[in-house]
Amino acid sequence: MHISFLLGLLPLTATALPSDESEPFTSNLNYHSPSRRHVNLGIDISVVSRRSLKRGTVPYKPSELNFTHGVASGDPYPESVILWTRIAPRLASDQGNVTVEGTVDLYSHETEKYIKADANPICVEWKVWEGSAKKRSCTEQEKQKRAAAGVVAQGTAYTTGDIDFTVKVEAKGLKAWTSYNYQFTVCGSNNTSPVGRTKTAPAADQDLNEVRLAVFSCSNHPNGYFNAYGNAARKDKHDYVVHLGDYIYESGGAGERAHNPRKYIFTLGEYRTRHGQYRSDLDLHHLSKNHAWITTWDDHEVSDNGYRDGSSALNNTEASFRQDGRLISVDQRKMNAVRAYFEWMPIRQVDLDDNLRIWRSFQFGNLADLIILDTRNYDRSITSLGWNNNYINLIKDEASRSLMGSRQENWFYKSLTKSKERGAKWRVIGSQIIFSGSSGAGTDNWGGYLANRNRTLKHLYDGNIGNNIFLAGDSHQNWVSDVTWIGQKGYNQATGAGSIGVEFAGTAVSSSGRAGPISAANTAASNQIKNNQVLQWQEGYYRGYFLLSVQKDKVVSQFFGSPTVATRNSWELPLANFTVVSGENKLARPVAGGKVEAGSLRGGSTTGTNLTLNTQTGKWQVIGFESMFISR
């Protein structure tokens, strides 16, 4: 992947290549394949560079370019963070497709007959400087003064339509547990991106008192507005965003927030277009601009109820290939989706030699380890697909079934052990799907892989590994449970004694939940409590998120709901608060202090005050809305 010496003949302009090195290309992580075992997911940089030498090529003027989707950051390490933007001559995504005919070493536009490649790479400079911990205490002018006073990291990168004009770089040499501002600029111009804010992780041995995570999942664009993102951004009470998946949906959808394109997506260009549409949302833009994200995918980033050999909508058969996949196979569709995901998300590829790996971990000082899993796409055995539910019920406890694949599963257990050995106070486990055993969530979760779940519980109990906090999304409802090994370990439902941890499973940002009225949703929640031994709170009406405060002596989880996502608004309703005391491995009693705003609480009451905060003005008001979702 080297640049031809002929590049030295090019002038150094806003879109020209440097004369003596390929670094501005290779520094853009999106030119690399997310997996070296899938080489055709990479970009042949020499082909891209030679294209710019063609006769008649006219570089873009800086005035022709726009930062179309703002800025974002993610995957914070103590010494570095990933920075992201998109600089392009147009809003629309590049429709080139990684699908090629025949055998080629690396993907390039020249293999496609009907896609016209942009000939000129676009040059951007980026810089990082120490910033304010809170955005409201620092104006744009003050940020620029800080930047002028001391840039701590900077670089140059190129992008082209081959990677949908995205830019993803790693800013290195930073200080741990420090807030920074960052900005991109079109080379040789005053065309700048918005100023973003990010934060590095603490050092692994740092004595930390608290880390706060805002936890989200399941944002379906046609269903409603992403008010939960905006509310969390405006309140600015967290250090990092954790997104547990279903960040986009692959389905069609009409209405005032119709999906683009308005159909199920299969090609690379379609997945890129969908990502671009979601990142155009103002509330998502706001939350991405000022907070570092730690993400994993669920199933809808690729296809509903995905597993290693297919999904509910597309499977590895000729009939499915022709009828369901529109002549795109399961593996090719997954590659298209993964390529777009890595282009559009501020995420690291932690092991380029592994097969589309997204599972990874983060150390937050001596306070906590955040372990992020992939329970969907990596190497999962067959799941519930709609037509095979009876079959899954028959085989759900077979020892051969794995939710994660053997390599990830063994890595997971080793990570738990190492976390305890290094003296981390807490283990926070980000799993897309519900772990605790709440039966109402179905079998497309850990309940469909009972042997895998039991192996995890056995490892925790046998290793005396406590202080475990499981996170989950996917179900579009709120579930809070003690985590215990029912049938193997004694468990006291009233006190929580015998459990090995707690699970906080959150509702959706905007994806569908229980239909109203609220009273009916509360009744359904009450029935769930009666039928699930470990379940302590259940709520299915509100959309929202939860804020996890990890402290030395306790973990506090605060759940928030959007009273409606049918309109874009700044209303937020506090739903419930929970505490886990260090060393107790259970929810503190009385659970949630004995009362919640909505849903059903074991041994407690539901108040239903509707006292709601306007996160824009800071004022409280009793307010209600007739419908939760956009009518379609």
Side-chain angles (χ1 to χ4, degrees), residues 576-616:
N577 298 331
F578 303 90
T579 300
V580 183
V581 177
S582 178
E584 294 192 357
N585 296 318
K586 63 177 185 176
L587 289 158
R589 269 54 174 184
V591 176
K595 63 180 181 180
V596 294
E597 171 67 25
S600 180
L601 177 68
R602 187 182 299 277
S605 61
T606 301
T607 60
T609 66
N610 284 342
L611 184 59
T612 309
L613 172 67
N614 187 324
T615 59
Q616 187 71 48

mmCIF file of all heavy atoms in Angstrom, residues 576-616:
data_model
loop_
_atom_site.group_PDB
_atom_site.id
_atom_site.type_symbol
_atom_site.label_atom_id
_atom_site.label_comp_id
_atom_site.label_asym_id
_atom_site.label_seq_id
_atom_site.Cartn_x
_atom_site.Cartn_y
_atom_site.Cartn_z
ATOM 1 N N ALA A 576 -36.886 5.888 37.532
ATOM 2 C CA ALA A 576 -36.526 5.075 38.697
ATOM 3 C C ALA A 576 -35.032 5.193 38.961
ATOM 4 O O ALA A 576 -34.249 5.417 38.032
ATOM 5 C CB ALA A 576 -36.906 3.613 38.464
ATOM 6 N N ASN A 577 -34.644 5.026 40.228
ATOM 7 C CA ASN A 577 -33.243 5.040 40.634
ATOM 8 C C ASN A 577 -32.924 3.766 41.407
ATOM 9 O O ASN A 577 -33.715 3.342 42.267
ATOM 10 C CB ASN A 577 -32.931 6.253 41.516
ATOM 11 C CG ASN A 577 -33.148 7.571 40.805
ATOM 12 O OD1 ASN A 577 -33.011 7.654 39.592
ATOM 13 N ND2 ASN A 577 -33.490 8.603 41.554
ATOM 14 N N PHE A 578 -31.761 3.187 41.142
ATOM 15 C CA PHE A 578 -31.362 1.935 41.787
ATOM 16 C C PHE A 578 -29.934 2.045 42.306
ATOM 17 O O PHE A 578 -29.111 2.757 41.728
ATOM 18 C CB PHE A 578 -31.457 0.767 40.802
ATOM 19 C CG PHE A 578 -32.822 0.591 40.211
ATOM 20 C CD1 PHE A 578 -33.167 1.242 39.030
ATOM 21 C CD2 PHE A 578 -33.766 -0.192 40.832
ATOM 22 C CE1 PHE A 578 -34.424 1.095 38.479
ATOM 23 C CE2 PHE A 578 -35.038 -0.347 40.293
ATOM 24 C CZ PHE A 578 -35.369 0.307 39.109
ATOM 25 N N THR A 579 -29.645 1.301 43.372
ATOM 26 C CA THR A 579 -28.319 1.304 43.979
ATOM 27 C C THR A 579 -27.837 -0.130 44.168
ATOM 28 O O THR A 579 -28.609 -1.012 44.567
ATOM 29 C CB THR A 579 -28.334 2.020 45.340
ATOM 30 O OG1 THR A 579 -28.768 3.372 45.154
ATOM 31 C CG2 THR A 579 -26.962 2.017 45.981
ATOM 32 N N VAL A 580 -26.564 -0.341 43.872
ATOM 33 C CA VAL A 580 -25.890 -1.611 44.148
ATOM 34 C C VAL A 580 -24.702 -1.282 45.048
ATOM 35 O O VAL A 580 -23.802 -0.546 44.637
ATOM 36 C CB VAL A 580 -25.408 -2.300 42.865
ATOM 37 C CG1 VAL A 580 -24.773 -3.647 43.186
ATOM 38 C CG2 VAL A 580 -26.551 -2.454 41.868
ATOM 39 N N VAL A 581 -24.692 -1.818 46.252
ATOM 40 C CA VAL A 581 -23.613 -1.553 47.202
ATOM 41 C C VAL A 581 -22.462 -2.504 46.934
ATOM 42 O O VAL A 581 -22.665 -3.705 46.692
ATOM 43 C CB VAL A 581 -24.114 -1.705 48.647
ATOM 44 C CG1 VAL A 581 -22.973 -1.506 49.647
ATOM 45 C CG2 VAL A 581 -25.234 -0.705 48.927
ATOM 46 N N SER A 582 -21.243 -1.986 46.932
ATOM 47 C CA SER A 582 -20.068 -2.800 46.663
ATOM 48 C C SER A 582 -20.003 -3.995 47.607
ATOM 49 O O SER A 582 -20.182 -3.857 48.822
ATOM 50 C CB SER A 582 -18.801 -1.954 46.802
ATOM 51 O OG SER A 582 -17.647 -2.737 46.582
ATOM 52 N N GLY A 583 -19.751 -5.163 47.027
ATOM 53 C CA GLY A 583 -19.617 -6.383 47.804
ATOM 54 C C GLY A 583 -20.902 -7.133 48.053
ATOM 55 O O GLY A 583 -20.871 -8.288 48.490
ATOM 56 N N GLU A 584 -22.050 -6.506 47.763
ATOM 57 C CA GLU A 584 -23.328 -7.161 48.048
ATOM 58 C C GLU A 584 -23.882 -7.933 46.855
ATOM 59 O O GLU A 584 -24.728 -8.828 47.025
ATOM 60 C CB GLU A 584 -24.351 -6.139 48.542
ATOM 61 C CG GLU A 584 -23.993 -5.534 49.887
ATOM 62 C CD GLU A 584 -25.144 -4.744 50.503
ATOM 63 O OE1 GLU A 584 -26.207 -4.624 49.843
ATOM 64 O OE2 GLU A 584 -24.970 -4.260 51.628
ATOM 65 N N ASN A 585 -23.486 -7.571 45.627
ATOM 66 C CA ASN A 585 -23.854 -8.328 44.421
ATOM 67 C C ASN A 585 -25.358 -8.447 44.216
ATOM 68 O O ASN A 585 -25.850 -9.441 43.673
ATOM 69 C CB ASN A 585 -23.235 -9.734 44.465
ATOM 70 C CG ASN A 585 -21.727 -9.696 44.447
ATOM 71 O OD1 ASN A 585 -21.119 -8.923 43.711
ATOM 72 N ND2 ASN A 585 -21.118 -10.510 45.286
ATOM 73 N N LYS A 586 -26.088 -7.444 44.604
ATOM 74 C CA LYS A 586 -27.550 -7.451 44.473
ATOM 75 C C LYS A 586 -28.044 -6.022 44.490
ATOM 76 O O LYS A 586 -27.305 -5.087 44.853
ATOM 77 C CB LYS A 586 -28.178 -8.222 45.632
ATOM 78 C CG LYS A 586 -27.883 -7.557 46.986
ATOM 79 C CD LYS A 586 -28.545 -8.254 48.148
ATOM 80 C CE LYS A 586 -28.301 -7.451 49.441
ATOM 81 N NZ LYS A 586 -28.993 -8.033 50.599
ATOM 82 N N LEU A 587 -29.286 -5.834 44.118
ATOM 83 C CA LEU A 587 -29.916 -4.528 44.247
ATOM 84 C C LEU A 587 -30.160 -4.219 45.714
ATOM 85 O O LEU A 587 -30.632 -5.073 46.475
ATOM 86 C CB LEU A 587 -31.241 -4.510 43.492
ATOM 87 C CG LEU A 587 -31.111 -4.519 41.962
ATOM 88 C CD1 LEU A 587 -32.392 -5.031 41.327
ATOM 89 C CD2 LEU A 587 -30.776 -3.124 41.446
ATOM 90 N N ALA A 588 -29.820 -2.998 46.121
ATOM 91 C CA ALA A 588 -30.060 -2.592 47.500
ATOM 92 C C ALA A 588 -31.557 -2.567 47.770
ATOM 93 O O ALA A 588 -32.352 -2.170 46.919
ATOM 94 C CB ALA A 588 -29.434 -1.227 47.766
ATOM 95 N N ARG A 589 -31.939 -3.014 48.963
ATOM 96 C CA ARG A 589 -33.332 -3.008 49.380
ATOM 97 C C ARG A 589 -33.584 -1.845 50.326
ATOM 98 O O ARG A 589 -32.712 -1.503 51.098
ATOM 99 C CB ARG A 589 -33.687 -4.324 50.068
ATOM 100 C CG ARG A 589 -34.227 -5.458 49.190
ATOM 101 C CD ARG A 589 -33.380 -5.814 48.025
ATOM 102 N NE ARG A 589 -33.931 -7.016 47.336
ATOM 103 C CZ ARG A 589 -33.361 -7.605 46.336
ATOM 104 N NH1 ARG A 589 -32.232 -7.118 45.842
ATOM 105 N NH2 ARG A 589 -33.907 -8.665 45.769
ATOM 106 N N PRO A 590 -34.792 -1.227 50.308
ATOM 107 C CA PRO A 590 -35.861 -1.501 49.354
ATOM 108 C C PRO A 590 -35.440 -1.083 47.948
ATOM 109 O O PRO A 590 -34.839 -0.024 47.764
ATOM 110 C CB PRO A 590 -37.031 -0.671 49.859
ATOM 111 C CG PRO A 590 -36.398 0.459 50.605
ATOM 112 C CD PRO A 590 -35.159 -0.116 51.233
ATOM 113 N N VAL A 591 -35.750 -1.925 46.967
ATOM 114 C CA VAL A 591 -35.354 -1.668 45.589
ATOM 115 C C VAL A 591 -35.961 -0.350 45.118
ATOM 116 O O VAL A 591 -37.143 -0.072 45.349
ATOM 117 C CB VAL A 591 -35.807 -2.822 44.676
ATOM 118 C CG1 VAL A 591 -35.488 -2.513 43.224
ATOM 119 C CG2 VAL A 591 -35.152 -4.126 45.107
ATOM 120 N N ALA A 592 -35.121 0.496 44.511
ATOM 121 C CA ALA A 592 -35.542 1.803 43.983
ATOM 122 C C ALA A 592 -36.134 2.694 45.063
ATOM 123 O O ALA A 592 -36.930 3.599 44.753
ATOM 124 C CB ALA A 592 -36.537 1.632 42.836
ATOM 125 N N GLY A 593 -35.744 2.458 46.312
ATOM 126 C CA GLY A 593 -36.291 3.269 47.400
ATOM 127 C C GLY A 593 -37.767 3.019 47.654
ATOM 128 O O GLY A 593 -38.425 3.776 48.363
ATOM 129 N N GLY A 594 -38.306 1.972 47.047
ATOM 130 C CA GLY A 594 -39.696 1.590 47.289
ATOM 131 C C GLY A 594 -40.716 2.199 46.344
ATOM 132 O O GLY A 594 -41.907 1.902 46.462
ATOM 133 N N LYS A 595 -40.267 3.048 45.383
ATOM 134 C CA LYS A 595 -41.240 3.635 44.460
ATOM 135 C C LYS A 595 -40.589 3.993 43.129
ATOM 136 O O LYS A 595 -39.408 4.317 43.058
ATOM 137 C CB LYS A 595 -41.909 4.867 45.062
ATOM 138 C CG LYS A 595 -40.965 6.015 45.366
ATOM 139 C CD LYS A 595 -41.730 7.194 45.973
ATOM 140 C CE LYS A 595 -40.788 8.362 46.268
ATOM 141 N NZ LYS A 595 -41.511 9.520 46.850
ATOM 142 N N VAL A 596 -41.404 3.901 42.070
ATOM 143 C CA VAL A 596 -40.974 4.245 40.720
ATOM 144 C C VAL A 596 -42.051 5.091 40.059
ATOM 145 O O VAL A 596 -43.199 5.142 40.519
ATOM 146 C CB VAL A 596 -40.700 2.978 39.881
ATOM 147 C CG1 VAL A 596 -39.519 2.199 40.436
ATOM 148 C CG2 VAL A 596 -41.946 2.100 39.812
ATOM 149 N N GLU A 597 -41.686 5.756 38.979
ATOM 150 C CA GLU A 597 -42.630 6.603 38.257
ATOM 151 C C GLU A 597 -43.581 5.779 37.399
ATOM 152 O O GLU A 597 -44.754 6.132 37.236
ATOM 153 C CB GLU A 597 -41.859 7.591 37.382
ATOM 154 C CG GLU A 597 -42.701 8.396 36.398
ATOM 155 C CD GLU A 597 -43.650 9.385 37.059
ATOM 156 O OE1 GLU A 597 -43.352 9.797 38.212
ATOM 157 O OE2 GLU A 597 -44.663 9.749 36.449
ATOM 158 N N ALA A 598 -43.098 4.705 36.818
ATOM 159 C CA ALA A 598 -43.908 3.912 35.882
ATOM 160 C C ALA A 598 -43.479 2.468 35.952
ATOM 161 O O ALA A 598 -42.437 2.119 36.527
ATOM 162 C CB ALA A 598 -43.764 4.458 34.461
ATOM 163 N N GLY A 599 -44.271 1.588 35.330
ATOM 164 C CA GLY A 599 -43.979 0.171 35.329
ATOM 165 C C GLY A 599 -44.419 -0.492 36.615
ATOM 166 O O GLY A 599 -45.332 -0.025 37.308
ATOM 167 N N SER A 600 -43.755 -1.591 36.966
ATOM 168 C CA SER A 600 -44.097 -2.338 38.174
ATOM 169 C C SER A 600 -42.833 -2.661 38.944
ATOM 170 O O SER A 600 -41.835 -3.121 38.371
ATOM 171 C CB SER A 600 -44.827 -3.634 37.804
ATOM 172 O OG SER A 600 -45.172 -4.368 38.963
ATOM 173 N N LEU A 601 -42.863 -2.430 40.248
ATOM 174 C CA LEU A 601 -41.722 -2.625 41.136
ATOM 175 C C LEU A 601 -42.075 -3.697 42.164
ATOM 176 O O LEU A 601 -43.090 -3.574 42.856
ATOM 177 C CB LEU A 601 -41.361 -1.319 41.835
ATOM 178 C CG LEU A 601 -40.228 -1.366 42.860
ATOM 179 C CD1 LEU A 601 -38.891 -1.629 42.179
ATOM 180 C CD2 LEU A 601 -40.162 -0.049 43.646
ATOM 181 N N ARG A 602 -41.258 -4.708 42.255
ATOM 182 C CA ARG A 602 -41.513 -5.753 43.238
ATOM 183 C C ARG A 602 -41.448 -5.182 44.659
ATOM 184 O O ARG A 602 -40.444 -4.601 45.059
ATOM 185 C CB ARG A 602 -40.495 -6.890 43.094
ATOM 186 C CG ARG A 602 -40.796 -8.102 43.976
ATOM 187 C CD ARG A 602 -39.733 -9.175 43.822
ATOM 188 N NE ARG A 602 -39.639 -9.667 42.457
ATOM 189 C CZ ARG A 602 -40.428 -10.604 41.946
ATOM 190 N NH1 ARG A 602 -41.398 -11.125 42.682
ATOM 191 N NH2 ARG A 602 -40.260 -11.002 40.698
ATOM 192 N N GLY A 603 -42.539 -5.315 45.373
ATOM 193 C CA GLY A 603 -42.572 -4.846 46.757
ATOM 194 C C GLY A 603 -42.645 -3.349 46.898
ATOM 195 O O GLY A 603 -42.455 -2.812 48.002
ATOM 196 N N GLY A 604 -42.916 -2.620 45.808
ATOM 197 C CA GLY A 604 -42.966 -1.163 45.869
ATOM 198 C C GLY A 604 -44.179 -0.620 45.158
ATOM 199 O O GLY A 604 -45.069 -1.352 44.711
ATOM 200 N N SER A 605 -44.221 0.704 45.022
ATOM 201 C CA SER A 605 -45.382 1.376 44.436
ATOM 202 C C SER A 605 -44.990 2.156 43.191
ATOM 203 O O SER A 605 -43.823 2.496 42.987
ATOM 204 C CB SER A 605 -46.012 2.331 45.456
ATOM 205 O OG SER A 605 -45.084 3.340 45.839
ATOM 206 N N THR A 606 -45.996 2.447 42.361
ATOM 207 C CA THR A 606 -45.833 3.255 41.147
ATOM 208 C C THR A 606 -46.585 4.555 41.340
ATOM 209 O O THR A 606 -47.791 4.555 41.586
ATOM 210 C CB THR A 606 -46.365 2.500 39.922
ATOM 211 O OG1 THR A 606 -45.646 1.258 39.792
ATOM 212 C CG2 THR A 606 -46.179 3.318 38.665
ATOM 213 N N THR A 607 -45.875 5.685 41.224
ATOM 214 C CA THR A 607 -46.464 6.978 41.573
ATOM 215 C C THR A 607 -47.210 7.629 40.421
ATOM 216 O O THR A 607 -48.285 8.195 40.605
ATOM 217 C CB THR A 607 -45.382 7.943 42.072
ATOM 218 O OG1 THR A 607 -44.407 8.133 41.035
ATOM 219 C CG2 THR A 607 -44.687 7.373 43.305
ATOM 220 N N GLY A 608 -46.635 7.613 39.201
ATOM 221 C CA GLY A 608 -47.289 8.221 38.052
ATOM 222 C C GLY A 608 -47.529 9.709 38.189
ATOM 223 O O GLY A 608 -48.608 10.215 37.895
ATOM 224 N N THR A 609 -46.500 10.457 38.597
ATOM 225 C CA THR A 609 -46.670 11.898 38.821
ATOM 226 C C THR A 609 -46.665 12.711 37.533
ATOM 227 O O THR A 609 -47.225 13.804 37.484
ATOM 228 C CB THR A 609 -45.541 12.436 39.723
ATOM 229 O OG1 THR A 609 -44.292 12.335 39.023
ATOM 230 C CG2 THR A 609 -45.466 11.661 41.029
ATOM 231 N N ASN A 610 -45.970 12.217 36.490
ATOM 232 C CA ASN A 610 -45.769 12.963 35.239
ATOM 233 C C ASN A 610 -45.020 14.275 35.444
ATOM 234 O O ASN A 610 -45.116 15.183 34.608
ATOM 235 C CB ASN A 610 -47.094 13.241 34.520
ATOM 236 C CG ASN A 610 -47.640 12.013 33.823
ATOM 237 O OD1 ASN A 610 -46.916 11.053 33.581
ATOM 238 N ND2 ASN A 610 -48.928 12.033 33.539
ATOM 239 N N LEU A 611 -44.261 14.393 36.530
ATOM 240 C CA LEU A 611 -43.452 15.592 36.764
ATOM 241 C C LEU A 611 -42.195 15.484 35.894
ATOM 242 O O LEU A 611 -41.330 14.636 36.116
ATOM 243 C CB LEU A 611 -43.078 15.710 38.235
ATOM 244 C CG LEU A 611 -42.306 16.972 38.638
ATOM 245 C CD1 LEU A 611 -43.108 18.230 38.302
ATOM 246 C CD2 LEU A 611 -41.954 16.936 40.120
ATOM 247 N N THR A 612 -42.105 16.354 34.898
ATOM 248 C CA THR A 612 -41.155 16.192 33.795
ATOM 249 C C THR A 612 -40.226 17.395 33.710
ATOM 250 O O THR A 612 -40.648 18.538 33.894
ATOM 251 C CB THR A 612 -41.926 16.027 32.478
ATOM 252 O OG1 THR A 612 -42.914 15.009 32.638
ATOM 253 C CG2 THR A 612 -41.005 15.651 31.350
ATOM 254 N N LEU A 613 -38.954 17.128 33.405
ATOM 255 C CA LEU A 613 -37.944 18.175 33.274
ATOM 256 C C LEU A 613 -37.811 18.598 31.822
ATOM 257 O O LEU A 613 -37.716 17.754 30.925
ATOM 258 C CB LEU A 613 -36.596 17.661 33.777
ATOM 259 C CG LEU A 613 -35.376 18.578 33.533
ATOM 260 C CD1 LEU A 613 -35.479 19.846 34.361
ATOM 261 C CD2 LEU A 613 -34.077 17.843 33.829
ATOM 262 N N ASN A 614 -37.787 19.913 31.597
ATOM 263 C CA ASN A 614 -37.425 20.449 30.291
ATOM 264 C C ASN A 614 -35.908 20.647 30.303
ATOM 265 O O ASN A 614 -35.394 21.551 30.955
ATOM 266 C CB ASN A 614 -38.138 21.771 30.032
ATOM 267 C CG ASN A 614 -37.919 22.288 28.614
ATOM 268 O OD1 ASN A 614 -36.840 22.134 28.049
ATOM 269 N ND2 ASN A 614 -38.942 22.903 28.044
ATOM 270 N N THR A 615 -35.183 19.770 29.608
ATOM 271 C CA THR A 615 -33.722 19.824 29.655
ATOM 272 C C THR A 615 -33.156 21.037 28.934
ATOM 273 O O THR A 615 -31.966 21.336 29.063
ATOM 274 C CB THR A 615 -33.119 18.540 29.046
ATOM 275 O OG1 THR A 615 -33.550 18.408 27.679
ATOM 276 C CG2 THR A 615 -33.548 17.317 29.838
ATOM 277 N N GLN A 616 -33.993 21.740 28.194
ATOM 278 C CA GLN A 616 -33.554 22.958 27.526
ATOM 279 C C GLN A 616 -33.594 24.151 28.471
ATOM 280 O O GLN A 616 -32.682 24.979 28.495
ATOM 281 C CB GLN A 616 -34.436 23.239 26.306
ATOM 282 C CG GLN A 616 -33.967 24.389 25.436
ATOM 283 C CD GLN A 616 -32.706 24.070 24.666
ATOM 284 O OE1 GLN A 616 -32.615 23.009 24.048
ATOM 285 N NE2 GLN A 616 -31.724 24.947 24.703
#
